[in-house]
Amino acid sequence: MEFFGDAERKEINDVLETGILFRYNHEALRNDIYKAREFEAEVAKLVGASYAHAVSSGSTAALIAMVAAGIGAGDEVIVPPFTYIATVEAVLMVGALPVFADIDDTLCLSAEGIRKAITPKTKGVCLVHMCGQMADMDAIMAVINEHNLVLVEDAGQAMGASYKGTYTGLFGKTGAYSFDFFKIATAGEGGIMVTNDETAYKHADSYSDHGHDHIGSNRGMEQHPILGFNYRISELHAAVGLVQTRRVPEIIEKNNVHKKQLMATLGEVDGISFARIPDADGDSATFLNILLPDTESAARVVLELNAAGVGGFNYWYTNMYHFINQWDHLKQMRTASALTIEKLGAPQDYNNLDVPGAQQTIGRLISFGIRATWTNEEVAALADKISAAVKKAMSVEA
């Protein structure tokens, strides 16, 4: 979280002064303070969604997006092998069956990868927009529409990114954003589900609060149109998320300036290329995504960066929770209690997946987090350090 100040404190104090930390009811005591509602309205305004619903985390936002889109027990859902594992966990927790498909140089599922993974049992696709960028949506939507699939978007790392004028999260039936501590905007912990479908919104609103319909002012007498569980956000978390969302346009603007400066400098270095951005004008620019010639080169660059004390980057290929190579608990189906997939059987052998694009692309990828608070001098210094590490690793004289 790069920006935190008087605006966040003011919104938090509004809640503390009422003493009502619960997002619903208590109308007589709360002095018309409804931070969760304001948070939802601010996100909807930012991305142009008809509906937004705040929940306890980005992970639960992804889960609720699945439920609201009608995905459930026994449904096959195509997912990427490169994502924060919460995406796959959400599929499992709603009783659906993950089917892994290949990615391309956008770092996201490819249209070809999705097409190859479709079976007669495929219900939907959970598309993850990775590392602040966006997937190639024209090509992907052609496959989605051709096969009449349900699209759910996990834009946890790409809130505020857009493709040809449409924000990530709004191409499919439902979408999800994360507001954890490491995202472009944070609530500490929190998430938002977005949709343009009224029925999906009503299902999300009820499902995330034990099935309550939230009609009337007496919680104990509300109707329960569906079964649900508790994924509510608190007013305190929502207060922080509200202000942070207002900061997003400025953060994206500054991120893009720094990212373009880095790309301009590093693009001159032999061996460096960049992940493809399908719509550069819509980049949230939270990450600089460098591609080296091969996995061996990338591993050597990582060693040089570490030796030079350069931080703030991820080598996802060996990351324990963003790439399938390290997900032994999933491959071995180590669970605390039996999941639906253990009763119905996995649709793939997760130990032997055919995703060569993912193995090659993620093996070559090093991502640097971009900070809106950097000075031009700090950006230039980082570019010099990356350049030196790459040149040394590639055995090119600096």
Side-chain angles (χ1 to χ4, degrees):
M1 186 164 82
E2 295 186 73
F3 299 97
F4 188 90
D6 291 341
E8 284 85 357
R9 292 185 183 92
K10 186 268 181 189
E11 300 293 338
I12 291 171
N13 284 333
D14 282 351
V15 177
L16 294 178
E17 286 172 6
T18 69
I20 307 301
L21 279 58
F22 190 65
R23 70 160 295 175
Y24 297 113
N25 306 110
H26 304 284
E27 287 80 4
L29 299 174
R30 66 191 313 140
N31 195 28
D32 204 32
I33 300 295
Y34 292 92
K35 297 304 179 185
R37 292 182 187 177
E38 290 187 69
F39 180 27
E40 291 160 348
E42 197 69 33
V43 172
K45 175 184 173 183
L46 174 69
V47 302
S50 298
Y51 306 96
H53 183 63
V55 290
S56 56
S57 69
S59 302
T60 55
L63 185 152
I64 288 163
M66 300 272 183
V67 171
I71 291 172
D75 292 334
E76 287 190 4
V77 179
I78 294 172
V79 297
F82 178 48
T83 177
Y84 184 50
I85 196 169
T87 307
V88 181
E89 291 170 336
V91 174
L92 291 169
M93 294 307 149
V94 300
L97 312 175
V99 175
F100 289 93
D102 215 349
I103 69 170
D104 60 18
D105 57 354
T106 66
L107 312 181
C108 308
L109 284 171
S110 67
E112 179 185 7
I114 293 170
R115 190 183 298 278
K116 287 183 177 179
I118 293 172
T119 76
K121 297 181 180 179
T122 304
K123 174 72 173 284
V125 175
C126 185
L127 175 65
V128 185
H129 301 280
M130 285 298 292
C131 297
Q133 302 186 172
M134 74 298 295
D136 188 348
M137 293 311 302
D138 282 347
I140 286 172
M141 291 308 299
V143 178
I144 295 293
N145 293 330
E146 177 187 347
H147 293 271
N148 195 29
L149 301 176
V150 176
L151 177 62
V152 174
E153 295 170 79
D154 181 343
Q157 290 191 357
M159 191 192 76
S162 62
Y163 177 86
K164 296 184 178 179
T166 298
Y167 281 85
T168 56
L170 292 175
F171 287 89
K173 186 85 163 180
T174 56
Y177 305 132
S178 173
F179 283 77
D180 76 16
F181 188 70
F182 304 99
K183 299 301 188 292
I184 190 169
T186 184
E189 287 285 357
I192 290 272
M193 189 222 72
V194 291
T195 185
N196 288 325
D197 185 288
E198 183 179 10
T199 299
Y201 166 71
K202 287 182 176 179
H203 281 161
D205 180 59
S206 290
Y207 184 86
S208 61
D209 184 24
H210 303 291
H212 280 264
D213 65 4
H214 303 127
I215 296 174
S217 59
N218 186 342
R219 182 171 174 82
M221 294 303 293
E222 289 178 9
Q223 298 297 309
H224 300 85
I226 60 172
L227 288 166
F229 199 58
N230 176 15
Y231 299 109
R232 295 185 304 262
I233 193 170
S234 78
E235 286 287 277
L236 286 174
H237 289 92
V240 178
L242 166 62
V243 180
Q244 288 277 301
T245 300
R246 292 172 180 157
R247 298 184 187 275
V248 167
E250 180 183 0
I251 293 172
I252 288 177
E253 182 180 357
K254 291 180 177 178
N255 282 352
N256 270 279
V257 170
H258 297 155
K259 183 171 181 175
K260 288 173 182 175
Q261 182 180 343
L262 287 166
M263 291 179 70
T265 301
L266 295 173
E268 302 296 321
V269 178
D270 288 342
I272 289 182
S273 60
F274 304 100
R276 178 165 59 94
I277 307 171
D279 182 359
D281 291 336
D283 189 11
S284 72
T286 51
F287 285 94
L288 171 71
N289 298 302
I290 292 175
L291 293 175
L292 282 302
D294 50 50
T295 300
E296 293 74 22
S297 300
R300 292 197 302 271
V301 171
V302 168
L303 290 175
E304 294 297 339
L305 290 168
N306 286 331
V310 181
F313 69 90
N314 286 292
Y315 183 47
W316 307 108
Y317 192 66
T318 57
N319 184 283
M320 292 302 294
Y321 48 94
H322 279 84
F323 193 48
I324 196 165
N325 287 9
Q326 279 65 250
W327 295 345
D328 290 340
H329 57 324
L330 170 69
K331 297 174 185 178
Q332 298 166 17
M333 205 53 64
R334 299 200 299 261
T335 59
S337 61
L339 299 175
T340 301
I341 194 170
E342 295 175 82
K343 302 296 185 181
L344 299 182
Q348 293 171 305
D349 178 358
Y350 296 149
N351 287 286
N352 295 286
L353 294 173
D354 182 25
V355 286
Q359 295 296 340
Q360 294 166 15
T361 300
I362 306 309
R364 300 167 54 210
L365 174 67
I366 302 176
S367 298
F368 289 81
I370 291 178
R371 298 185 66 84
T373 51
W374 280 340
T375 64
N376 289 337
E377 291 74 21
E378 287 172 324
V379 175
L382 177 60
D384 289 342
K385 291 176 182 177
I386 296 172
S387 176
V390 171
K391 289 177 179 179
K392 188 172 182 181
M394 302 291 290
S395 300
V396 177
E397 288 186 7

